[in-house]
Amino acid sequence: MTHTPSSLANLRVAIIGAGPAGIYAGNILSGSVAEAGGSVAIDLFESLPAPYGLIRYGVAPDHPRIKGIVTSLHEMLDAGSIRFIGNVEVGRDIALDELRERYDAVIIATGAIRDAVLDIPGIDLPGSYGAADFVAWFDGHPDVPREWPLDAPEVAVIGNGNVALDVARMLAKHPEDLRSTEIADNVLGGLEASSVTDVHVFGRRGPADIKFTPIELRELGEVPNVDIIVHDEDFGDADPADAKNNQLKVMLRVMNSWRTRERTGASRRLHLHFYHSPVEVIGADRVEGVRFERTAPTGDGSVIGTGEYREIAVQQVYRAVGYFGTPVLGAPFDEVRGVVPNVEGRVTDTASAATAEDGGTALQGLYATGWIKRGPVGLIGHTKSDAMETIAHLVSDAQSGLLAAPAVADDVLDLLGERDVAYTTWDGWRALDAHERELGATHRHTRERVKVVPRDEQVAISRSGALIES
C-alpha cells in the first residue's frame, strides 16, 4: 500500500472476531488513542450473529461464574466506541484486502475453534469425536447438528485440561441439574436421552502435571449422583507437600481426598486415569475401546513409555488435546502451530519466523491478538495482557506514520448492503439477548435465558429488533 500515512487523528480500525480477544483489543485501543489525544472508529466483525465468541459457544452452560465475564464485555461494547457487525465472515462476505483498503489497521482476533489432531490409528472410527464439536453442540452453536449421539454407556475423554473436564462433566452430569442454566432445549432433550453410565478421563502425565484449574476440579467432585473414581497406582508422586505452586497443592489435596471417599452407588461414574498414553482406538466398524501404554515420570516433568499396554472398553472417544487456529483467507498462516505468524502482534509474511531477525517482514497495518496470535494456551485473563502488547505496537506504528490511510472512504455497511449480507448490529444483539431472556423467564423451568440456536432465527430476531432494512 502506498497511499498517505495515517496518524492517531481519525484512525479507522477493523477487528476480526468478537470474542474476548477482539473486544479487549477494541476497548484498549479506544482508551489508548483517547489518552494520546487522538480519535478512532472501531468496527468489530464477527462471523456469528451474536458476540462473545467462546464465552457464548465454548464455556459449559453450568459455569455462571465464568460467564460473568460477559457482563464486562457487554459494558465495553455498550459504551458505543466499538461498532459490532455480526454474521459477516471475512473471506466469504468481504475480503481481507477489502478491509485493509477501508481501515488504517486490521486486527485478527479469530481465536482457535478447531480440535488439534490426535494422530493414532483408529481415531477416525465412527464414535470418535473432537471435543470442540461436542462443546459447540452443548453450547447451542448454530452451525453444528441439533442432535448428538449419546448412545454409548462407556465413554473415553482423552486430555488433562479444562476442556476435557468440561466434556467429562457434561457427559456425566444428570440433565435435571442443568435445567436452571441457559442450555438450549434441543441439548437438554439430547442429554435426557443419554445412555452414558461411565466416563473415563485419560492423561499422559501424572496428577502433579494436570492442566486443570482448581475451580474446575472442585466442581467435578460436586456433581450430584456421580461417583468420582481414582486409582492409587496413579498417585505415587502426587504429594501435595511437594506441589510446585498453591493451585496445584489445592488440586492434589482434592484428588487425594477422592481416593478415600466412599462410593455412593450413584447411577453414573467418572473415572480419572493418569499415566495413560493413547496408542490406538480399537474397533472394526466403530469404536469398541482404546489401547493405552502406561507411562512413568522421568523427573523433569515429562514421561516415558513403560512397555505395559492396557485396553479399556468404551463405545465413544472424545479427544480434548487442545485447539487449533483457523486461517483467515488472505492472511498468512502457520500450518504447524495453527497461528497467524507475528512478532509481538505485528503480522509477518514468514510463517516460520519467531522474531523479526529470523526474516519475518511485518505486513503494514495488519495485527493479531489472542489465541490466533500465540496459540490456544492461557486463560481469558491472559487475553487482556496479550491485547495490550498488540495495541501498543499499533498505536506506536500510527504515531510513527507507519500505517497507510484508508484508500476507500465508503462505509463498509454500504458494501455489505449491496451484497445483501444480512449483517447484525449491537442493537440487534440487544434484541436477541432480550428475546432469549424472555424465553428463559417464561420457560417451564425458569432460567436466566434459553438460547436461540438456528442461525436464521438469530439473524431474523436481531435484524427486526434493530430495524435493519432488508
Side-chain angles (χ1 to χ4, degrees):
M1 296 186 182
T2 59
H3 36 281
T4 307
S6 61
S7 68
L8 288 184
N10 302 314
L11 199 65
R12 292 167 62 184
V13 176
I15 302 174
I16 306 172
I23 297 174
Y24 284 143
N27 187 61
I28 293 168
L29 175 62
S30 178
S32 299
V33 171
E35 287 177 9
S39 61
V40 60
I42 303 169
D43 284 345
L44 182 65
F45 292 87
E46 171 57 50
S47 62
L48 293 165
Y52 308 138
L54 282 180
I55 296 295
R56 180 170 167 91
Y57 291 118
V59 177
D62 59 346
H63 273 334
R65 284 168 291 188
I66 294 178
K67 285 183 176 290
I69 296 170
V70 166
T71 300
S72 62
L73 298 179
H74 176 98
E75 291 173 354
M76 293 176 195
L77 293 182
D78 207 37
S81 59
I82 303 171
R83 184 169 65 167
F84 173 73
I85 305 173
N87 202 41
V88 174
E89 183 173 327
V90 175
R92 180 194 65 193
D93 300 313
I94 187 169
L96 178 61
D97 282 347
E98 290 177 314
L99 290 183
R100 297 182 72 187
E101 290 175 343
R102 287 164 171 78
Y103 297 89
D104 299 87
V106 176
I107 304 171
I108 300 172
T110 48
I113 59 174
R114 295 185 294 170
D115 283 290
V117 173
L118 178 60
D119 188 15
I120 59 174
I123 196 65
D124 293 324
L125 278 169
S128 175
Y129 305 99
D133 292 334
F134 183 58
V135 171
W137 174 75
F138 68 58
D139 268 330
H141 194 292
D143 299 335
V144 300
R146 300 289 179 269
E147 298 179 351
W148 192 273
L150 293 170
D151 52 353
E154 299 161 309
V155 179
V157 180
I158 299 174
N160 252 179
N162 284 341
V163 174
L165 284 196
D166 271 359
V167 169
R169 192 181 64 258
M170 288 296 292
L171 286 167
K173 203 164 190 175
H174 295 273
E176 57 264 27
D177 297 314
L178 292 165
R179 287 186 180 131
S180 62
T181 72
E182 62 180 44
I183 192 168
D185 280 341
N186 68 293
V187 178
L188 189 60
L191 293 173
E192 286 173 341
S194 172
S195 300
V196 172
T197 60
D198 290 84
V199 180
H200 298 265
V201 183
F202 297 94
R204 289 180 60 251
R205 293 183 171 86
D209 292 298
I210 54 177
K211 303 300 182 184
F212 312 142
T213 53
I215 188 171
E216 289 271 358
L217 197 65
R218 282 201 194 99
E219 287 175 349
L220 199 67
E222 296 169 359
V223 178
N225 197 22
V226 175
D227 277 338
I228 304 292
I229 300 172
V230 295
H231 304 275
D232 287 341
E233 66 175 348
D234 292 337
F235 284 82
D237 64 341
D239 186 344
D242 299 328
K244 296 175 284 191
N245 54 59
N246 287 334
Q247 279 199 339
L248 181 58
K249 183 179 293 185
V250 169
M251 291 190 288
L252 289 177
R253 284 174 179 167
V254 169
M255 288 189 291
N256 272 291
S257 72
W258 292 343
R259 297 168 65 183
T260 56
R261 191 161 74 175
E262 291 187 11
R263 298 187 191 180
T264 65
S267 59
R268 291 181 178 173
R269 291 156 295 281
L270 205 160
H271 310 252
L272 296 183
H273 305 267
F274 300 97
Y275 298 118
H276 279 71
S277 179
V279 295
E280 181 183 5
V281 177
I282 302 166
D285 300 319
R286 59 171 296 108
V287 173
E288 297 174 9
V290 183
R291 190 168 187 248
F292 295 91
E293 182 180 13
R294 282 285 288 179
T295 62
T298 60
D300 61 359
S302 60
V303 293
I304 57 172
T306 65
E308 176 189 349
Y309 293 88
R310 297 178 180 180
E311 293 182 3
I312 309 293
V314 296
Q315 299 81 48
Q316 277 189 348
V317 173
Y318 294 82
R319 66 183 187 277
V321 294
Y323 286 129
F324 196 80
T326 301
V328 172
L329 193 63
F333 189 70
D334 185 333
E335 295 286 355
V336 175
R337 296 189 299 139
V339 299
V340 171
N342 69 93
V343 177
E344 295 182 349
R346 290 185 176 106
V347 175
T348 67
D349 62 353
T350 307
S352 61
T355 68
E357 289 73 24
D358 290 336
T361 300
L363 298 177
Q364 185 181 45
L366 194 57
Y367 302 85
T369 190
W371 280 2
I372 200 65
K373 168 187 174 182
R374 57 185 163 84
V377 293
L379 303 175
I380 292 171
H382 296 100
T383 302
K384 187 178 295 185
S385 58
D386 201 43
M388 292 176 68
E389 178 183 64
T390 295
I391 296 306
H393 286 309
L394 190 159
V395 171
S396 173
D397 290 347
Q399 291 173 319
S400 302
L402 297 178
L403 301 183
V408 178
D410 297 345
D411 190 336
V412 72
L413 295 186
D414 294 335
L415 177 63
L416 295 175
E418 291 171 7
R419 294 177 177 175
D420 293 324
V421 177
Y423 63 86
T424 59
T425 65
W426 180 245
D427 284 342
W429 161 247
R430 291 173 68 94
L432 177 59
D433 181 43
H435 180 83
E436 291 183 340
R437 291 178 184 276
E438 184 177 353
L439 289 178
T442 58
H443 198 274
R444 65 184 185 276
H445 304 292
T446 302
R447 56 180 84 164
E448 180 182 349
R449 76 169 67 237
V450 173
K451 278 184 182 175
V452 173
V453 176
R455 181 185 284 263
D456 57 352
E457 288 185 27
Q458 291 188 45
V459 171
I461 294 166
S462 296
R463 288 177 65 83
S464 61
L467 301 177
I468 298 175
E469 294 184 3
S470 299

